[in-house]
Amino acid sequence: MTTAIFPAADTARTPLLELTSADTGTEATPEGLLSYLSDTENVDRLLLAHKALVFRGFGLTADTVDRALDLILRNRLAYVHGNSPRTKVGDNLYTSTEYPQQFTISMHNELSYAESWPTRLAFFCQQAAETGGATPVVDGEAWLAALDPEVREAFAPGVRYTQNLHDGMGLGKSWQDTFETHDRTVVEEYLRGTGADWDWRPDGGLRVSLLRPATVRHPVTGAEVWFNQADQWHPASLGDEAAGALAQLLPPEELPQYVTFADGSPIPDAHVLQVRDRGLETAVDVDWNTGDLLLIDNVSVGHGRRPFTGARRILVAMTD
C-alpha cells in the first residue's frame, strides 16, 4: 500500500480534504479503504493538518462501515447527555439528528455544551438524499474571526446552558433518553463529574445547569476556536413565529433548553443570529454520495445540515 502524505492545511483554505482510491493508492473497495485507514498514524496526521477528511468511492456499506469506524474511532462513545433526537442503530452508532428535512441545522461542535466532548466524529452516508442534504463544515478559527469584536467580547466570560428534561411526556427530550438510562443514580453519578447543578422536579423531570466557555483551544495546535451552542439553545434561533408560540406557553427558563451569559443575563437575539448566520456563511458543504465516509476533528471543525428532499440516512459515531 502507498501511504499518501499531504501538506499541512492553510487555515484560510477549506477545512476539508477529499480522498479517493487514486489519492490513497488502494483499490476502490471497502477493503482498499480499510487497508489505508489501518495506517492510523497517517490518518491522525492528515486529520490534524486538514481538520476534516472525506473518503469517496470506496463502496462502503452498512455491513462494512463498522470495520472502518473501529480504525478511526478507537473508543466509540455513547451519545450520553446529547440534546438532539437520534436513534441508536448499532454499537454506539446513531442516526444523524432526526430534525424535519426542510430545515437547516446550524453549525455546532458535538456536545460543546457538556463538560467533556468527543474529539472526533465520523459520518457514514448509507443513503444520499434526492436533493440537498449536504453536511456543511466550518473551521472554528474562521468562525470566531467572522464575528464582530463586540460579540466575541460579550461571550468571553462564557455561557450557561439549562436543560429541562421531562420524565417521559413533554416538550423536548426525556432525561431517560438523554442519559440512556432509567436509573436516577446513574444520572447523578454522571452529573457529579461534570460540574453541573441539577435538581429533580416535582413532576419527575430533571433540570440541569452547566457553565461552559464560549471558546476553547485545540489541545494540539493551541488554536482558539468558537466552541459553544448558544445560538441553537436560544429562542431566537426558532424564528419569530415559533419563539412567540413557545413564549405563550413557557417562560424562557422553563424551555426544554435555554442559554444565558455566564452571569445569567440574557443573550441579545442579534448576537445569536450573527453567530448562527456567520457560521453557516463561513462553512463549506460536504455533498454526499451513498457510501461516503466523513471524519472530522470535533474541536477544530463545526458541522450542520442543509435541507433536503427524499430519503436520507447518515449514521454518526464519535470517540474521545
Side-chain angles (χ1 to χ4, degrees), residues 11-16 52 104-108 134-144 146 274-287 300-306:
T11 56
R13 297 184 333 197
T14 298
L16 178 68
T104 296
I105 297 176
S106 61
M107 309 310 295
H108 61 285
T135 294
V137 294
V138 63
D139 186 309
E141 289 181 82
W143 191 3
L144 177 61
Q274 181 182 130
V275 168
R276 181 196 66 188
D277 295 344
R278 294 192 184 171
L280 287 164
E281 291 164 2
T282 307
V284 294
D285 286 350
V286 177
D287 293 306
S300 292
V301 171
H303 66 280
R305 192 204 70 190
R306 304 293 186 185

Side-chain angles (χ1 to χ4, degrees), residues 43 50 64 79 103 120 131 139 142 213 224 229 255-256 264 280 300:
V43 174
H50 296 275
T64 57
Y79 187 60
F103 297 119
R120 59 173 68 174
T131 64
D139 186 309
E224 185 180 13
Q229 288 175 235
L255 292 172
L280 287 164
S300 292

Side-chain angles (χ1 to χ4, degrees), residues 189-212:
E189 288 177 355
Y190 172 86
L191 290 174
R192 284 192 190 97
T194 67
D197 298 320
W198 77 91
D199 63 280
W200 296 100
R201 315 299 288 172
D203 62 2
L206 174 66
R207 174 175 290 172
V208 180
S209 178
L210 185 62
L211 179 64
R212 296 291 304 135

Side-chain angles (χ1 to χ4, degrees), residues 90-170:
D91 179 16
N92 287 342
L93 183 63
Y94 300 83
T95 59
S96 58
T97 300
E98 296 167 354
Y99 191 61
Q101 63 188 49
Q102 67 269 32
F103 297 119
T104 296
I105 297 176
S106 61
M107 309 310 295
H108 61 285
N109 304 78
E110 203 64 50
L111 290 167
S112 61
Y113 53 85
E115 178 67 16
S116 60
W117 51 81
T119 59
R120 59 173 68 174
L121 310 178
F123 301 80
F124 165 63
C125 181
Q126 186 175 357
Q127 182 175 358
E130 182 178 335
T131 64
T135 294
V137 294
V138 63
D139 186 309
E141 289 181 82
W143 191 3
L144 177 61
L147 301 176
D148 292 348
E150 58 266 30
V151 172
R152 296 197 299 267
E153 183 178 352
F155 276 95
V159 294
R160 179 168 291 279
Y161 300 96
T162 299
Q163 287 177 293
N164 291 296
L165 305 169
H166 61 76
D167 190 31
M169 184 174 294

Side-chain angles (χ1 to χ4, degrees), residues 74-97:
R74 292 183 278 277
N75 178 34
R76 269 192 257 178
L77 300 175
Y79 187 60
V80 174
H81 206 175
N83 69 320
S84 64
R86 303 172 185 267
T87 301
K88 193 171 186 177
V89 297
D91 179 16
N92 287 342
L93 183 63
Y94 300 83
T95 59
S96 58
T97 300

